[in-house]
Amino acid sequence: MEKDIRKLEIRTGYHFQDINLLIHAMTHSSYVNEKHLKKPDCNERLEFLGDAVLELVSSEYLFFENETMPEGELTKLRASMVCEKALAFCARDLKLGDFLLLGKGEDATGGRKRDSITSDALEALIGAIYLDGGFANAKEFILQHILNDLDGKRLFYDSKTILQEIVQGGLDKSISYHLLDERGPDHDKSFYVEVLIGDLSYGKGTGRTKKAAEQEAAYQAILKLRNRKA
């Protein structure tokens, strides 16, 4: 396991003094239950710690980046930046799912790609970096891997909302999503979706859930609309 986990260490850009902290961060409760380990051996406590560090760093970032924004708007913006979808998107960039220790059942049902699991693992990773290298290293990781290219990330993970805003702002047409196909067994399905603006197709997407496929289709539609304006 240590040899494989070193590949994740390279992806993070942070070298652990105690590699067991990184392994701990990747240990899901389903693995602990299956192996009859102690409850604290899973990553939930590290997730708790990482969540607090992430909230502080993101709050500081927004405070200085938006000097006139009122507290209520700062709170909403922070929530969108560190929501489950946003963190899962960042976790996919790091390919955290490849390094998770999961129980066989959780693994077989697609746990490595489940947003709730990968986002929690990312917070646990932050907690592990904080314990191993202190606040400065945890902050550097967050700035480099989570608070970078926020607009681009939101464009992808929140494409349906953004597409709705674009259409309502000027096209005056309805948006509809249509399931084209679904393939694979129940525990590992792929969904294929098309998005229509009015009667015209603007994008197609594929995902492990209908919602994910719709997000991809909306993302493709936004790119198409932007290219037309260029």
Side-chain angles (χ1 to χ4, degrees):
M1 177 62 184
E2 183 172 330
K3 184 178 179 180
D4 290 336
I5 207 72
R6 290 291 181 186
K7 295 178 183 177
L8 175 57
E9 185 182 49
I10 293 170
R11 290 182 182 278
T12 67
Y14 174 75
H15 178 73
F16 277 83
Q17 301 302 312
D18 181 2
I19 197 65
N20 288 318
L21 277 170
L22 181 54
I23 295 172
H24 191 177
M26 294 300 105
T27 304
H28 188 254
S29 57
S30 62
Y31 181 87
V32 168
N33 293 335
E34 185 177 282
K35 299 295 182 179
H36 305 292
L37 303 175
K38 296 178 180 178
K39 180 65 174 176
D41 290 335
C42 77
N43 63 6
E44 291 175 356
R45 284 168 51 84
L46 282 176
E47 175 201 337
F48 165 80
L49 181 61
D51 175 67
V53 176
L54 177 59
E55 182 168 326
L56 176 56
V57 173
S58 58
S59 297
E60 180 191 61
Y61 175 86
L62 287 175
F63 182 83
F64 289 109
E65 286 291 314
N66 304 273
E67 295 183 356
T68 61
M69 185 177 288
E71 179 268 344
E73 291 183 33
L74 286 171
T75 300
K76 290 180 182 178
L77 184 54
R78 182 183 63 197
S80 69
M81 286 166 48
V82 298
C83 69
E84 181 180 289
K85 288 182 182 179
L87 295 182
F89 183 94
C90 298
R92 283 196 293 275
D93 274 353
L94 290 166
K95 298 186 178 179
L96 284 193
D98 294 346
F99 301 93
L100 289 172
L101 291 174
L102 298 175
K104 292 179 181 178
E106 192 67 65
D107 199 358
T109 55
R112 293 186 186 281
K113 296 182 179 180
R114 190 165 293 127
D115 284 359
S116 59
I117 292 178
T118 57
S119 62
D120 287 350
L122 182 60
E123 289 182 329
L125 173 58
I126 293 168
I129 293 174
Y130 173 78
L131 288 180
D132 190 75
F135 181 75
N137 282 299
K139 179 178 178 179
E140 183 178 351
F141 171 82
I142 291 167
L143 291 175
Q144 183 178 351
H145 294 284
I146 299 175
L147 300 183
N148 63 321
D149 189 24
L150 291 173
D151 289 339
K153 288 176 178 175
R154 179 173 179 258
L155 175 61
F156 188 85
Y157 72 74
D158 202 17
S159 291
K160 289 181 69 176
T161 301
I162 295 173
L163 180 60
Q164 188 73 38
E165 291 170 354
I166 292 172
V167 172
Q168 288 178 343
L171 296 180
D172 193 29
K173 295 181 180 179
S174 62
I175 300 173
S176 57
Y177 295 88
H178 298 274
L179 180 64
L180 299 175
D181 194 11
E182 55 182 274
R183 304 172 191 170
D186 287 342
H187 69 273
D188 192 21
K189 275 191 179 297
S190 292
F191 296 88
Y192 299 81
V193 169
E194 179 180 42
V195 60
L196 303 181
I197 300 177
D199 296 326
L200 298 178
S201 174
Y202 272 75
K204 295 180 180 179
T206 305
R208 291 178 56 81
T209 65
K210 290 179 184 177
K211 191 171 183 179
E214 289 173 355
Q215 290 286 4
E216 170 65 22
Y219 177 70
Q220 296 301 328
I222 293 169
L223 295 182
K224 188 172 183 178
L225 288 169
R226 287 185 172 181
N227 287 335
R228 286 187 175 184
K229 290 182 179 181

